[in-house]
Amino acid sequence: MNLRSQVVGCGAYLPERIVTNDELARRLDTSDEWIRQRTGIGERRIAAPGELTSDLAFHAAERALLSAGMKGGDLDLIVLATATPDNTFPATATKLQARLGMRRGAAFDVQAVCAGFIFALAVADNALRLGQARTALVVGAETFSRILDWDDRGTCVLFGDGAGALVLNAIPATGRQYRGVLSTHLHSDGRTYDLLYVDGGPSSTGQTGHLRMEGREVFRQAVQHLSEVVDEALAANRLTAADIDWLVPHQANSRIIDGIGRKLGLPRDKVVVTIGRHANTSAASIPLALDAAVADGRIKPGHLVLIEALGGGLSWGASLLRW
């Protein structure tokens, strides 16, 4: 029997503390206007002291399971995408597994920075297709505020904290219009490693370090690679941009989002944009945006949804889902 992954629940969580552009402008050489014009960001959420990535992931997972009508004990796979784990090891996903009451299967992290959620989705989808699991939780969760240099206006204004999650069930694949994950497409290029990285780690400095980025070059790479992988996903499914109901992109920069939307010929009201309220939450940004669009009724069963992201590595990917 051919199996496919169907999305049966989604959920999200944001920390309570809101940091506006005006608050940052009081201690940095920047302004609300400067940040909005260049990025589209108006505010971001910041985790409270002692609030960990696993905490954010747990709240998002609980809400996703509730929307699916399930409990943690129903899961047999958790794949958690994060670049900001609670500890160097073990995987943050195992803390989530225990807290949710999942007693079978496996839980582990994947790390592809801002593209992490698509990589995690691909891993879970493959496991369900192969019959290695029946029900999977895919989570993107980040506390990027912990790795930012808050004196660097070129990076600290861009990022925020948050988490989002999807629940997937393995179902028989029947007909061309089955609902679920149609395909995922993953890429990376280690030659561009130094364009977006954290200047530390257990093996190099013994300390976490801070995020460093060559913003202009990352922007150029993003436009090129995301355009290519979107075309790849559409071609693999014999679809065109006209078939897409919703583009849910990684929320990194409003100009990148607008550029991809224009390339696809999609009107702005078919592109889900949450960057103004969430900023760039790395691996959490796509599931946060998905949850927002499902909650307000934009994404409906049967809609064709395209997601795409690029992050450090550089790593990038896209996926097509029939909701």
Side-chain angles (χ1 to χ4, degrees), residues 119-132:
F119 277 61
L121 180 65
V123 172
D125 177 48
N126 287 338
L128 266 60
R129 287 175 184 245
L130 291 173
Q132 295 174 333

Side-chain angles (χ1 to χ4, degrees), residues 24 29 57 60-61 85 185 194 199 221 228 233 263 269 271 280 320:
L24 292 177
D29 181 19
H185 307 268
D194 291 336
D199 58 358
Q221 295 275 348
E228 292 171 349
K263 180 186 181 300
D269 61 3
V271 182
N280 182 346
L320 274 166

Side-chain angles (χ1 to χ4, degrees), residues 29-269:
D29 181 19
T30 189
S31 68
D32 177 67
E33 181 184 18
W34 188 91
I35 298 170
R36 287 182 187 273
Q37 285 184 347
R38 287 161 177 79
T39 68
I41 297 169
E43 62 186 38
R44 71 284 297 144
R45 299 295 185 100
I46 302 297
E51 189 174 33
L52 307 180
T53 294
S54 61
D55 296 319
L56 275 57
F58 172 73
H59 294 306
E62 273 203 320
R63 294 173 183 180
L65 287 166
L66 180 64
S67 74
M70 299 171 61
K71 298 180 179 179
D74 298 320
L75 299 169
D76 47 19
L77 177 65
I78 296 175
V79 187
L80 191 155
T82 187
T84 51
D86 287 7
N87 299 93
T88 301
F89 72 85
T92 300
T94 58
K95 293 179 72 174
L96 179 60
Q97 177 188 26
R99 197 165 171 185
L100 289 173
M102 173 183 159
R103 297 290 183 262
R104 62 174 187 266
F108 55 89
D109 296 351
V110 299
Q111 215 278 55
V113 201
C114 299
F117 186 78
I118 294 178
F119 277 61
L121 180 65
V123 172
D125 177 48
N126 287 338
L128 266 60
R129 287 175 184 245
L130 291 173
Q132 295 174 333
R134 293 173 295 174
T135 303
L137 176 70
V138 184
V139 186
E142 302 282 16
T143 49
F144 250 55
S145 60
R146 309 273 160 78
I147 58 170
L148 297 178
D149 179 350
W150 287 98
D151 293 320
D152 178 9
R153 72 166 187 168
T155 57
C156 75
V157 303
L158 302 177
F159 296 91
D161 302 335
L166 296 182
V167 180
L168 305 177
N169 272 348
I171 61 168
T174 56
R176 284 183 52 82
Q177 291 295 313
Y178 70 83
R179 290 172 52 202
V181 180
L182 304 186
S183 66
T184 53
H185 307 268
L186 308 178
H187 299 275
S188 63
D189 184 352
R191 296 172 298 176
T192 53
Y193 186 96
D194 291 336
L195 296 182
L196 178 55
Y197 66 101
V198 169
D199 58 358
S203 179
S204 57
T205 66
Q207 299 177 349
T208 301
H210 294 118
L211 182 146
R212 306 298 180 194
M213 180 174 67
E214 298 289 340
R216 290 184 179 179
E217 184 60 19
V218 171
F219 184 99
R220 188 186 72 81
Q221 295 275 348
V223 172
Q224 174 186 340
H225 291 313
L226 292 176
S227 296
E228 292 171 349
V229 78
V230 162
D231 287 342
E232 180 185 346
L234 290 171
N237 293 280
R238 299 181 181 179
L239 296 168
T240 69
D243 296 309
I244 297 171
D245 293 298
W246 294 101
L247 171 65
V248 183
H250 169 49
Q251 308 291 311
N253 185 296
S254 59
R255 291 181 295 167
I256 297 175
I257 294 171
D258 290 344
I260 299 299
R262 285 194 302 271
K263 180 186 181 300
L264 292 171
L266 290 175
R268 288 190 175 185
D269 61 3

Side-chain angles (χ1 to χ4, degrees), residues 265-298:
L266 290 175
R268 288 190 175 185
D269 61 3
K270 289 294 184 182
V271 182
V272 177
V273 181
T274 61
I275 190 172
R277 293 178 289 119
H278 301 164
N280 182 346
T281 54
S282 187
S285 81
I286 287 177
L288 278 169
L290 282 170
D291 183 74
V294 171
D296 64 24
R298 280 178 288 175

